[in-house]
Amino acid sequence: MSAHTDPIETLTSDRSWELLGTQELGRLVTHVGDTIDIFPVNYVVDAEGILFRTAPGSKLFELTVNTDVLFEVDDHTDTDAWSVIIRGYATALESDADVQRAEAAGLRPWIPTLKRVFVRIAPTSVSGRAFHRSAEPERDGPQEY
């Protein structure tokens, strides 16, 4: 983070992707009808997209009904924090070439379950913000509106 006084910094797309590459766990948000769900998934960045693996179940079913998703990743230290949100479309990989490339990306399940379906999130937008963590400002005196 830059050393300026603004506690919130808008991240560039390149910096957002760089930060996404430092983590392994994100949150996938799906929306089907009136149902909004959030799923933790381990992932890898793959050519300005996100790859994760899943098994048949509600997550995969929801992605077949509505491919429009959000994906969020964040991290923090004692002094700084950041959050990146991807809006995009999630599709299960079907061609042998796509699956082989995904397998070569090194994505492994965190828990010992069979997750045979690779899903790729193709982003339509990426936004990120970084925050400098510090004490809350004084509340006494006149407040700006």
Side-chain angles (χ1 to χ4, degrees), residues 8-126:
I8 300 172
E9 175 185 352
T10 300
L11 300 175
T12 64
S13 178
D14 286 345
R15 181 65 177 143
S16 294
W17 282 108
E18 181 183 317
L19 289 169
L20 287 169
T22 69
Q23 301 299 307
E24 298 178 342
L25 184 67
R27 291 162 205 85
L28 175 72
V29 180
T30 62
H31 182 242
V32 176
D34 293 336
T35 303
I36 298 172
D37 281 318
I38 187 165
F39 302 95
V41 296
N42 65 302
Y43 73 96
V44 294
V45 172
D46 175 58
E48 290 213 351
I50 299 293
L51 280 177
F52 65 92
R53 288 170 64 178
T54 190
S58 61
K59 185 185 334 170
L60 186 57
F61 171 75
E62 289 181 18
L63 293 176
T64 61
V65 173
N66 183 358
T67 63
D68 192 17
V69 297
L70 292 176
F71 187 75
E72 190 272 344
V73 178
D74 56 56
D75 195 23
H76 71 279
T77 66
D78 288 343
T79 58
D80 298 293
W82 60 266
S83 174
V84 173
I85 296 174
I86 293 176
R87 295 178 188 278
Y89 297 96
T91 53
L93 302 183
E94 295 179 359
S95 78
D96 289 343
D98 285 345
V99 170
Q100 286 174 1
R101 191 175 116 208
E103 285 177 342
L107 181 61
R108 301 287 177 261
W110 278 16
I111 57 175
T113 58
L114 289 177
K115 294 186 175 180
R116 300 184 187 273
V117 180
F118 285 92
V119 176
R120 183 169 195 277
I121 299 173
T124 56
S125 71
V126 177

